[in-house]
Amino acid sequence: MKPPLAVPARPAQPLRRRSLGAVLSLAIILSGGVVLAQVLQSPPPPLAPALVIAPVVAAPIPVKLDTVTVQRGNIQETVAASGKLQLYKYADAYAQTTGQVKEVLVAVGDTVKANSLLLEISPILQPTKAENNRAQMARMQAELADQRAQFDFAELQFKRQSQLKAQNATREDAFESSRMNVSSARARVDAIDAQIRQLEATLKIEEDSRKQTQVAAPISGTVVTLNVRDGQMVSAAQPASPLMRIADLSKLTVAARVAENDVTRLRAGMQANFTTPGYPGRHWSGKLRQVIPVAAETSGEQGRQAFYIVLFEVNNVNRELMSGMSTQVQFVVAQAQNALLLPARALGAPDASGFHTVNLLDAQRRPSARKFKIGLRNAREVQVLSSLAEGDQVLVGPMPALALHTAAKPAAAPVAR
């Protein structure tokens, strides 16, 4: 009988794992002990000297302040207005007789001299009438010469009869007849002479009428309007319709509309400056001539503000400016030279005494309130009359709270410990 087969026994797995864990734990404990012994055996570090510890002071937060500087310069106080350029000197040419225009000798824009011929008109009346009057004048002058010869003869006869009568050598009727002949001849001479003078007056009128057919330039200048053409019928009975207008463009007038609350500040002789959109950057000037004392049309009605027309002239030798151009005018009410100036945006409202208050910054950017008086003022600048000096820095608007705290409080001193 065979013995039973032996079954190999399995190794005890849990026992090995427990043994391995115990070995690792023992190794860690031993390592820790070695490290702890080294630490305990190490000499202690030397004591450091006492340190002065200062509190940390935060750097000032930079604040950008809006400031302006008091400077010297020139200032003008002005009244602003809008206006237009107009003709200063002009004259209209009219028809002095009724007739048909033969030929117009000029055009718009032409330069003409005074009394130069502009156009000629053919009159409706026939020119034969003037010829008849001149022929009649010649005939009457011949009659006058004959009558004067008869008067001279009659006068000679009368002198002879007067001598004979003194000598009682002539009859009384012959003497009276010669005296009557002298008187009659003198009367005929006077009558013909009167007729000649009357005819001369008629001829002068006709000559004037002939001249009226020629329209001449009333002044020297430029033709700016032309209301007639060749062949057009014109009449002297229509004086409201000029044939053309001649203007002297070497000088123009600026007509500015000024509001009623500003016009009372204007006076004749004031300087007036203006610009026009046609010439950007260019400036022209003149002297105020007249303020029209009646409000402009369509202004001041139904409670609206009234405007007044103010006139002044400007030289235009180069003919750059043209009538009808719009203008922006500044009337200089007052001005000061080399004055202390401060930008107007730095100002607030004045107090009851008329003084203004601003924040003035010193070299350390510390603010301090300062009252001062102003003089002239315009939209950009004001004149400083007191309390401020050239170069002063003035804060625009209120002082920011953070900048005020930084400027007013110095940094704390370090503290030693």
Side-chain angles (χ1 to χ4, degrees):
M1 187 174 173
K2 293 180 179 181
L5 296 174
V7 178
R10 295 181 179 179
Q13 296 289 341
L15 180 59
R16 289 185 178 180
R17 288 178 181 173
R18 285 195 297 268
S19 298
L20 182 59
V23 172
L24 291 175
S25 298
L26 180 59
I28 292 173
I29 292 172
L30 292 176
S31 299
V34 173
V35 172
L36 179 60
Q38 291 177 353
V39 171
L40 293 176
Q41 293 177 0
S42 298
L47 294 176
L51 298 177
V52 178
I53 302 175
V56 178
V57 179
I61 300 176
V63 177
K64 185 177 181 181
L65 301 179
D66 187 6
T67 61
V68 292
T69 304
V70 179
Q71 297 178 342
R72 287 198 174 272
N74 303 330
I75 185 173
Q76 292 181 340
E77 187 172 340
T78 60
V79 168
S82 60
K84 281 190 175 297
L85 287 166
Q86 298 179 352
L87 297 176
Y88 170 65
K89 181 181 179 181
Y90 64 90
D92 294 330
Y94 293 89
Q96 301 297 322
T97 187
T98 300
Q100 187 178 29
V101 176
K102 283 185 180 180
E103 182 183 7
V104 180
L105 304 177
V106 295
V108 173
D110 288 352
T111 301
V112 297
K113 296 291 185 180
N115 300 320
S116 61
L117 186 61
L118 303 177
L119 59 87
E120 191 170 0
I121 301 172
S122 297
I124 294 177
L125 298 177
Q126 297 297 327
T128 55
K129 182 179 180 180
E131 295 295 334
N132 291 334
N133 288 333
R134 283 191 286 270
Q136 185 179 356
M137 172 64 74
R139 180 177 58 80
M140 295 184 67
Q141 287 175 345
E143 291 182 1
L144 178 61
D146 179 65
Q147 289 298 325
R148 281 178 176 172
Q150 294 183 22
F151 170 73
D152 293 340
F153 178 75
E155 194 173 35
L156 180 62
Q157 291 293 328
F158 178 69
K159 288 181 180 179
R160 182 179 299 174
Q161 288 294 325
S162 297
Q163 292 175 356
L164 293 174
K165 183 179 180 181
Q167 298 173 3
N168 293 324
T170 185
R171 297 190 307 274
E172 185 68 24
D173 57 345
F175 173 77
E176 293 296 336
S177 177
S178 64
R179 184 172 63 179
M180 184 184 65
N181 290 337
V182 170
S183 299
S184 178
R186 181 184 295 111
R188 286 194 298 270
V189 169
D190 292 341
I192 295 175
D193 191 51
Q195 291 178 2
I196 289 175
R197 288 196 301 269
Q198 182 179 6
L199 190 57
E200 285 177 346
T202 302
L203 290 174
K204 186 176 184 302
I205 293 174
E206 291 177 352
E207 180 64 20
D208 291 340
S209 298
R210 187 189 68 80
K211 291 181 179 179
Q212 289 175 356
T213 63
Q214 297 177 342
V215 180
I219 62 172
S220 297
T222 304
V223 179
V224 293
T225 60
L226 185 63
N227 305 317
V228 66
R229 64 186 183 276
D230 294 350
Q232 180 177 338
M233 293 297 297
V234 294
S235 173
Q238 298 177 349
S241 302
L243 302 179
M244 62 186 70
R245 173 168 291 180
I246 312 297
D248 181 4
L249 301 181
S250 62
K251 182 182 289 188
L252 295 177
T253 294
V254 178
R257 287 170 55 94
V258 180
E260 58 181 312
N261 56 341
D262 290 327
V263 73
T264 54
R265 304 168 62 191
L266 304 184
R267 297 291 182 273
M270 281 183 174
Q271 181 179 346
N273 305 317
F274 74 92
T275 60
T276 183
Y279 297 97
R282 294 282 302 276
H283 293 77
W284 286 265
S285 63
K287 297 292 183 181
L288 193 154
R289 172 170 59 89
Q290 183 182 13
V291 177
I292 304 299
V294 180
E297 293 183 2
T298 71
S299 71
E301 298 177 355
Q302 299 179 353
R304 293 180 297 180
Q305 188 178 28
F307 288 84
Y308 293 81
I309 303 301
V310 181
L311 305 176
F312 66 93
E313 277 67 53
V314 57
N315 291 325
N316 188 36
V317 179
N318 296 327
R319 309 296 197 274
E320 295 175 314
L321 299 173
M322 292 178 282
S323 177
M325 284 184 169
S326 60
T327 61
Q328 294 298 322
V329 185
Q330 297 286 336
F331 294 98
V332 181
V333 178
Q335 57 185 342
Q337 307 291 328
N338 196 30
L340 285 176
L341 303 180
L342 181 68
R345 65 189 185 94
L347 289 184
D351 58 18
S353 302
F355 284 85
H356 290 262
T357 301
V358 294
N359 288 317
L360 191 65
L361 300 183
D362 60 13
Q364 288 75 34
R365 310 285 286 177
R366 292 175 299 189
S368 60
R370 187 71 59 86
K371 285 188 175 184
F372 66 101
K373 195 78 172 178
I374 69 170
L376 302 183
R377 179 172 188 169
N378 56 33
R380 297 180 294 106
E381 298 171 316
V382 296
Q383 180 187 13
V384 177
L385 298 181
S386 64
S387 302
L388 298 182
E390 184 177 1
D392 284 348
Q393 295 289 317
V394 175
L395 178 67
V396 178
M399 189 69 170
L402 181 58
L404 183 62
H405 176 77
T406 304
K409 291 185 178 181
V415 178
R417 293 187 178 179

